[in-house]
Amino acid sequence: MTTFDEREQAFEAKFAHDEEMQFKARARCNKLVGLWAAELLGKSGSSAHDYAQSVVSADLVEAGHDDIVRKLAGDLGPRASENQIRSKLLEMMPRAQEEILSEAG
């Protein structure tokens, strides 16, 4: 195997790792936002965790945050606007990334 082939394989492995970490961070972010929304809905304990999991699952519908925002806006009604939901998603992403990195290392 040539040096070029080794570099290519290393690059591909790093890319795959980075994509996996980003996917996990996004799922964690969705879970954190789901827990926030569950609190607004008056849910706690396993009910809150089940709701947060439903938010994570909702993100598998389409690319981007629009599916999450639609679900949460529908569930929360007047408790939170779409802008508040989008702000919460942006707020939680750094925390989610930090949590995933701390678990990986």
Side-chain angles (χ1 to χ4, degrees):
M1 186 177 296
T2 67
T3 302
F4 179 76
D5 292 334
E6 291 170 359
R7 278 194 219 163
E8 184 178 22
Q9 284 182 346
F11 178 76
E12 289 173 0
K14 181 183 180 331
F15 179 79
H17 178 264
D18 291 349
E19 287 294 308
E20 178 183 1
M21 296 301 281
Q22 191 60 25
F23 176 81
K24 287 180 179 181
R26 184 176 172 114
R28 178 67 55 91
C29 176
N30 292 339
K31 179 181 177 185
L32 293 170
V33 172
L35 290 171
W36 164 78
E39 185 177 331
L40 291 178
L41 293 168
K43 297 178 184 290
S44 62
S46 64
S47 178
H49 286 282
D50 290 346
Y51 181 78
Q53 187 57 47
S54 76
V55 172
V56 172
S57 297
D59 192 31
L60 303 176
V61 174
E62 62 186 56
H65 287 299
D66 290 339
D67 44 0
I68 295 290
V69 172
R70 264 194 311 278
K71 176 183 178 25
L72 292 174
D75 292 350
L76 293 172
R79 293 178 188 96
S81 68
E82 286 191 14
N83 286 338
Q84 288 172 310
I85 294 166
R86 290 179 191 284
S87 292
K88 189 56 78 170
L89 284 162
L90 291 173
E91 176 188 329
M92 291 298 184
M93 184 53 90
R95 178 177 165 190
Q97 290 170 328
E98 185 179 305
E99 287 181 10
I100 294 298
L101 287 175
S102 69
E103 291 171 5

